């Protein structure tokens, strides 16, 4: 009797277990999904593997949301479940929602899983979703290195596969600023450098400054440096339009760049620097950088130029102002020579001799004051003669006089520092040193900041200095010739 009851209990338990298993593997949708889909969606990999073992054919079932078990496993990174399916030699679905497939979701999976998947289903690499993108395009955008590496190794030509908008993986990597991916793609598929999007733009058009530094070193890229897009804009044109000065400077510094290239509007890179006033400071820097390198204008007149400097028609107000400043400085420096720091000796043996004549600081005061007075007098004489010459010569004399006044002001500053130093140092050395440091620091800060404020690079500074020095020497020769001729007459 007891044996009969035990047998009945075991039979009943076995029936209940079979009923539970049938419910678990029921392929009928409950709110558009099944127990397997829910287990994978929530990352319960062991449960999902158990359900798969009960019914391997459920791997082909797609939920109401368009999600296959393999797609959900890739999203949840259930790699053991994926291995069970891929190694079972049974059919399975790779579908995902919105036209996606399992390869789109496999970005976080290990390389072995991805390799097996692409070996069994190679068509997945070129299958696009509803947005017109394949798995490699998403991987490039998100910088998923493992997936990109596996796909390029499986099929190098995938680097040439475009999105619906024409962007290949290289163009997408360049546009996203992923230089390492650009390097990897070009290493495996060098011909991808010639790819264009629907606007006719290549990688050098789309890349950021930090990636352009790499691309510009590739020999093949030199052939594209002067190639324009459908609007005729070269990478240099586009960099200036986007106010990407660093990239524009890099491209324009190349020996292979054609600074005279024009787009379909007839504009060169220099013209574009004079057509937009959105960022005045940056546009001025671009204009200066290109002008120094001899960039020409285009074949069409530019109607909206940046006012890089209005031409002065009348120099007389400038001459009068500079003459007044030079006269005042000459007067001050002349008077300073007779108000010697430390006073004069009143003893009968050294009557009228400066008390601190043997001090080095006083000697510096005397020399700097003398230089300041002499240069200010020369500037006054030059500006007095300028009114008798034509406009171009007036401009040159104003330029030379301004340089002389700059020297005069520096000489006056040195005289001021040395004068204070010589009378202060006997009582307070640190106060005397502080005066010199403050004056020198302010002057040095002005000297350094002004060139960097108006010049974009050290290389430009050297070019400007070289040109300005040559111009100063020419103007000085002309000025000397005029003075000598005037004295002779």
């Amino acid at each position: 009797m007891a044996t009969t009851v035990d047998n009945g209990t075991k039979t009943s338990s076995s029936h209940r277990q079979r009923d539970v298993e049938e419910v678990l593997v029921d392929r009928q949708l409950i709110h558009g999904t099944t127990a397997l889909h829910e287990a994978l969606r929530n990352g319960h990999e062991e449960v999902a593997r158990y359900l798969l073992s009960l019914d391997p054919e459920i791997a082909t079932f797609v939920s109401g949301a368009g999600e296959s078990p393999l797609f959900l496993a890739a999203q949840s990174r259930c790699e053991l479940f994926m291995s069970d399916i891929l190694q079972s030699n049974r059919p399975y679905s790779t579908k995902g929602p919105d036209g996606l497939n399992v390869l789109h979701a496999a970005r976080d999976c290990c390389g072995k899983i991805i390799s097996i998947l692409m070996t069994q289903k190679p068509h997945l690499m070129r299958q696009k979703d509803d947005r017109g993108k394949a798995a490699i395009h998403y991987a490039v955008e998100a910088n998923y290195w493992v997936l990109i590496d596996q796909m390029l190794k499986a099929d190098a030509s995938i680097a040439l596969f475009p999105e619906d908008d024409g962007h290949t993986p290289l163009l997408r990597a360049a546009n996203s600023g992923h230089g390492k991916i650009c390097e990897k793609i070009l290493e495996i598929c060098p011909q991808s450098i010639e790819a264009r999007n629907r606007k006719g733009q290549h990688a050098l058009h789309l890349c950021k400054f930090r990636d352009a530094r790499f691309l510009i070193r590739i020999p093949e890229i030199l052939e594209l440096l002067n190639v324009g897009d459908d609007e005729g804009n070269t990478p240099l044109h586009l960099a200036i339009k986007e106010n990407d000065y660093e990239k524009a400077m890099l491209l324009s510094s190349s020996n292979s760049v054609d600074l005279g290239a024009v787009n379909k509007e007839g504009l060169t890179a220099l013209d574009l620097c004079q057509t937009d006033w959105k960022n005045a400071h940056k546009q001025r820097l671009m204009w200066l950088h290109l002008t120094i390198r001899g960039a020409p204008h285009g074949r069409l007149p530019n109607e909206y130029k940046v006012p890089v400097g209005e031409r002065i028609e009348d120099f007389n107000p400038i001459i009068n102002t500079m003459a007044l400043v030079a006269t005042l400085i000459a007067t001050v420096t002349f008077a300073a020579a007779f108000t010697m720091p430390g006073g004069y000796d009143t003893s009968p043996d050294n009557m009228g001799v400066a008390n601190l004549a043997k001090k080095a600081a006083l000697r510096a005061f005397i020399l700097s004051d003398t230089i300041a007075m002499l240069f200010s007098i020369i500037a006054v004489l030059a500006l007095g003669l300028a009114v008798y010459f034509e406009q171009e010569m007036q401009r040159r004399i104003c330029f030379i006089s301004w340089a002389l006044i700059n020297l005069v002001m520096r000489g006056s500053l040195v005289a001021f520092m040395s004068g204070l130093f010589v009378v202060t140092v006997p009582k307070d050395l640190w106060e005397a040193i502080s005066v010199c440091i403050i004056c020198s620091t302010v002057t040095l800060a002005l000297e350094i900041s002004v060139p960097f404020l108006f010049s974009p690079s050290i290389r430009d500074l050297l070019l400007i200095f070289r040109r300005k020095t040559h111009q100063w020497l020419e103007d000085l020769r002309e000025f000397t010739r005029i003075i000598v001729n005037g004295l002779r007459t």
Side-chain angles (χ1 to χ4, degrees), residues 161-351:
F161 190 62
E163 305 174 20
D164 283 355
D165 62 0
H167 282 81
T168 63
L170 177 64
L171 298 181
R172 183 59 63 191
N175 193 39
S176 301
H178 300 315
K180 291 294 184 181
I181 296 179
C182 292
E183 184 177 0
K184 183 67 175 181
I185 293 174
L186 290 173
E187 178 186 345
I188 294 179
C189 186
Q191 60 268 34
S192 62
I193 193 66
E194 300 178 3
R196 304 285 193 279
N197 62 11
R198 288 190 173 180
K199 295 181 180 179
Q201 297 170 342
H202 50 72
L204 207 54
H205 280 106
L206 301 173
C207 68
K208 310 300 180 184
F209 164 67
R210 61 179 180 271
D211 301 319
R213 289 182 298 176
F214 160 73
L215 293 175
I216 203 72
R217 300 192 193 103
I218 301 175
E220 292 81 5
I221 205 68
L222 295 178
E223 301 177 5
L224 304 177
L225 188 59
N226 301 311
V227 176
D229 57 13
D230 292 345
E231 300 296 326
N233 293 313
T234 66
L236 180 58
H237 283 90
L238 205 59
I240 294 174
K241 280 188 171 183
E242 296 174 352
N243 288 326
D244 190 351
Y245 171 71
E246 290 181 324
K247 180 180 175 182
M249 184 176 67
L250 176 68
L251 297 177
S252 61
S253 299
S254 172
N255 294 328
S256 302
V257 70
D258 180 12
L259 297 177
V262 296
N263 59 15
K264 290 187 177 180
E265 297 177 355
L267 301 176
T268 64
L270 184 63
D271 294 327
L272 292 176
C273 288
Q274 299 175 274
T275 56
D276 191 0
W277 194 240
K278 292 179 180 178
N279 193 330
H281 178 65
K282 189 170 290 188
Q283 290 289 17
R284 286 179 189 273
L285 291 177
M286 289 183 183
W287 180 87
L288 177 61
H289 183 81
L290 292 171
T291 301
I292 291 172
R293 281 159 178 75
H297 287 286
R299 60 176 180 268
L300 296 180
N302 197 342
E303 299 179 357
Y304 304 98
K305 293 187 178 181
V306 174
V308 294
E310 297 181 0
R311 187 174 181 82
I312 300 174
E313 300 294 338
D314 186 9
F315 284 92
N316 287 325
I318 298 176
I319 292 173
N320 294 334
T321 303
M322 293 176 66
L324 177 61
V325 172
T327 303
L328 288 174
I329 296 176
T331 303
V332 171
T333 52
F334 181 82
F338 298 97
T339 55
M340 199 67 62
Y344 299 95
D345 193 349
T346 57
S347 63
D349 295 335
N350 297 305
M351 182 67 69

Side-chain angles (χ1 to χ4, degrees), residues 268-479:
T268 64
L270 184 63
D271 294 327
L272 292 176
C273 288
Q274 299 175 274
T275 56
D276 191 0
W277 194 240
K278 292 179 180 178
N279 193 330
H281 178 65
K282 189 170 290 188
Q283 290 289 17
R284 286 179 189 273
L285 291 177
M286 289 183 183
W287 180 87
L288 177 61
H289 183 81
L290 292 171
T291 301
I292 291 172
R293 281 159 178 75
H297 287 286
R299 60 176 180 268
L300 296 180
N302 197 342
E303 299 179 357
Y304 304 98
K305 293 187 178 181
V306 174
V308 294
E310 297 181 0
R311 187 174 181 82
I312 300 174
E313 300 294 338
D314 186 9
F315 284 92
N316 287 325
I318 298 176
I319 292 173
N320 294 334
T321 303
M322 293 176 66
L324 177 61
V325 172
T327 303
L328 288 174
I329 296 176
T331 303
V332 171
T333 52
F334 181 82
F338 298 97
T339 55
M340 199 67 62
Y344 299 95
D345 193 349
T346 57
S347 63
D349 295 335
N350 297 305
M351 182 67 69
V353 178
N355 288 325
L356 304 175
K358 294 184 179 181
K359 299 292 185 180
L362 187 65
R363 295 173 185 174
F365 169 83
I366 294 171
L367 290 174
S368 58
D369 187 73
T370 302
I371 292 172
M373 189 193 70
L374 290 176
F375 278 128
S376 60
I377 291 174
I378 294 173
V380 170
L381 292 175
L383 292 167
L385 291 173
V387 296
Y388 299 105
F389 296 102
E390 71 279 2
Q391 188 181 57
E392 180 59 28
M393 186 54 62
Q394 286 182 345
R395 185 191 68 81
R396 294 188 178 187
I397 292 176
C398 285
F399 185 81
I400 293 174
S401 299
W402 177 247
L404 292 174
I405 291 174
N406 280 333
L407 292 175
V408 168
M409 295 176 69
R410 287 165 177 77
S412 300
L413 181 62
V414 173
F416 174 80
M417 286 192 299
S418 57
L420 281 181
F421 184 86
V422 74
V423 298
T424 308
V425 69
K427 297 295 183 182
D428 194 340
L429 176 62
W430 287 108
E431 184 178 355
I433 294 175
S434 299
V435 170
C436 295
I437 291 175
I438 292 171
C439 294
S440 301
T441 303
V442 172
T443 306
L444 184 62
L446 289 174
E447 292 288 344
I448 294 176
S449 63
V450 171
F452 277 97
L453 191 62
F454 294 100
S455 182
S457 68
I458 296 296
R459 186 177 178 182
D460 288 345
L461 286 175
L462 295 175
L463 289 172
I464 291 172
F465 178 76
R466 198 178 304 166
R467 291 191 176 191
K468 290 297 183 183
T469 302
H470 179 72
Q471 183 179 351
W472 287 341
L473 292 174
E474 291 294 328
D475 290 344
L476 187 59
R477 290 194 195 100
E478 185 68 18
F479 177 71

Side-chain angles (χ1 to χ4, degrees), residues 385 389 479-489:
L385 291 173
F389 296 102
F479 177 71
T480 305
R481 185 183 64 79
I482 293 170
I483 295 295
V484 172
N485 292 336
L487 294 175
R488 287 177 179 175
T489 57

Side-chain angles (χ1 to χ4, degrees), residues 12-23:
S12 177
S13 176
S14 176
H15 284 308
R16 284 197 300 271
Q17 182 178 356
R18 284 197 300 272
D19 292 340
V20 170
E21 291 176 352
E22 289 176 0
V23 170

Side-chain angles (χ1 to χ4, degrees), residues 13-232:
S13 176
S14 176
H15 284 308
R16 284 197 300 271
Q17 182 178 356
R18 284 197 300 272
D19 292 340
V20 170
E21 291 176 352
E22 289 176 0
V23 170
L24 289 175
V25 300
D26 189 2
R27 301 179 189 174
Q28 298 299 318
L29 290 177
I30 303 174
H31 301 294
T33 186
T34 66
L36 177 61
H37 290 83
E38 287 299 317
L40 291 169
R41 188 176 288 112
N42 291 281
H44 300 307
E45 186 173 23
E46 292 302 323
V47 175
R49 295 182 71 188
Y50 175 70
L51 294 175
L52 181 66
S53 66
L54 295 178
D55 186 6
E57 293 183 2
I58 201 172
T60 63
F61 191 77
V62 179
S63 70
E67 299 164 327
S68 65
L70 194 62
F71 180 86
L72 290 173
Q75 276 192 329
S76 301
R77 202 174 178 180
C78 297
E79 295 181 348
L80 293 177
F81 178 85
M82 296 180 70
S83 296
D84 291 343
I85 291 181
L86 296 176
Q87 296 175 2
S88 64
N89 294 323
R90 292 179 178 271
Y92 57 88
S93 174
T94 60
K95 291 183 178 180
D98 303 321
L100 298 170
N101 62 52
V102 63
L103 206 54
H104 287 93
R107 55 184 178 269
D108 293 324
C109 297
C110 67
K112 181 179 179 181
I113 295 293
I114 295 173
S115 178
I116 296 173
L117 187 60
M118 290 188 297
T119 301
Q120 295 183 4
K121 305 280 186 178
H123 68 279
L124 295 179
M125 289 188 289
R126 298 178 183 273
Q127 183 178 328
K128 297 180 181 179
D129 63 359
D130 295 345
R131 297 175 59 189
K133 294 184 177 183
I136 193 169
H137 302 130
Y138 284 106
V140 167
E141 279 185 348
N143 199 19
Y144 292 126
W145 183 258
V146 175
L147 181 57
I148 297 168
D149 183 59
Q150 290 292 331
M151 294 182 73
L152 290 174
K153 288 180 179 178
D155 183 5
S157 65
I158 195 66
L160 303 173
F161 190 62
E163 305 174 20
D164 283 355
D165 62 0
H167 282 81
T168 63
L170 177 64
L171 298 181
R172 183 59 63 191
N175 193 39
S176 301
H178 300 315
K180 291 294 184 181
I181 296 179
C182 292
E183 184 177 0
K184 183 67 175 181
I185 293 174
L186 290 173
E187 178 186 345
I188 294 179
C189 186
Q191 60 268 34
S192 62
I193 193 66
E194 300 178 3
R196 304 285 193 279
N197 62 11
R198 288 190 173 180
K199 295 181 180 179
Q201 297 170 342
H202 50 72
L204 207 54
H205 280 106
L206 301 173
C207 68
K208 310 300 180 184
F209 164 67
R210 61 179 180 271
D211 301 319
R213 289 182 298 176
F214 160 73
L215 293 175
I216 203 72
R217 300 192 193 103
I218 301 175
E220 292 81 5
I221 205 68
L222 295 178
E223 301 177 5
L224 304 177
L225 188 59
N226 301 311
V227 176
D229 57 13
D230 292 345
E231 300 296 326

